[in-house]
Amino acid sequence: MERIGKNHNLIKMIREMNKSNPYEDLIASDDLEVLKVVLKYNLEIPYLLYSFEQNYQVDTLDLLNQLKLRAQACFEISNHVYEGIKQKDNHAGILAVIRIPQFKLEDLGDFIIVLDHLEIPGNVGTIYRTLDACGASGVIFIDAITKRNNLKLASSARGTNLILPTVNSTYKDTLTFLLDHQYTIYLGEPKLGHNYKEYDYQGKIAIVVGNERFGIQEDWYKHPHQKVYIPMKGNNNSLNVGVATSILAYEAATKRNEFK
């Protein structure tokens, strides 16, 4: 097992990934919940790093040994070096570089959520966890500001961003795909259209939610669609996009009998 220090190229690479990840198909994580997802779904681990000075609990040591068997390359580092690349203060001393699975639009299934220009990683992470829980089949990022390799997104998503089929796309390519494949497009709206409970959400559906500040881009309304809103009381004119998407996705999943 190779032991490396703070000046090793891999350590520099991980520090770079933690600041502003330039690698579209890679992400680093020392979140044990994410690492469990990586094992469960047999995701590729190009690099595994762990501290040789750490006192591992029995279950964590078992997880580490499983990760070692799966990783393409393993490296030992000191606690001091680990402190320079850690993501969580309460880390267990294990960090994996994970290859993010790649998909095509044709892989996304019949129950798609479209994220139109979303910005805030925590919102996107919340959406991923909900979609994983309610059985959505795919996600499309349109002109994404926050992408799937974002560290904060991965942490809030608890690794579900790695397993739910996702495609980065443009508005034009997404619209063409959805229309050509006869999806019913539901546009999430603060007030317009019909109450979200009035639709049956059957067949091939795509629920579109928009940017936290500006909403859904206007051109969606020039093409076949259904408007859907969530009734509200109080003083605000819209819900947080993560909350709104969760409500719509769960209603669609219930109507589609995803929980049978």
Side-chain angles (χ1 to χ4, degrees), residues 81-93:
V81 173
Y82 198 100
E83 284 297 306
I85 60 171
K86 71 177 183 180
Q87 299 171 350
K88 298 172 66 71
D89 288 335
N90 59 340
H91 63 80

Side-chain angles (χ1 to χ4, degrees), residues 151-171:
L151 176 60
K152 291 181 180 179
L153 186 162
S155 178
S156 60
R158 298 286 186 89
T160 54
N161 62 310
L162 302 175
I163 58 175
L164 188 59
T166 302
V167 172
N168 291 323
S169 185
T170 64
Y171 165 74

Side-chain angles (χ1 to χ4, degrees), residues 230-241:
I230 300 168
M232 294 178 57
K233 292 184 177 181
N235 299 305
N236 291 307
N237 61 6
S238 66
L239 292 170
N240 169 276
V241 67

Side-chain angles (χ1 to χ4, degrees), residues 74 88 99 115 157 175 194-195 207 218 223:
C74 298
K88 298 172 66 71
R99 192 169 303 282
L115 308 182
L175 179 67
H194 296 285
N195 184 313
I207 299 173
E218 290 295 322
H223 307 278

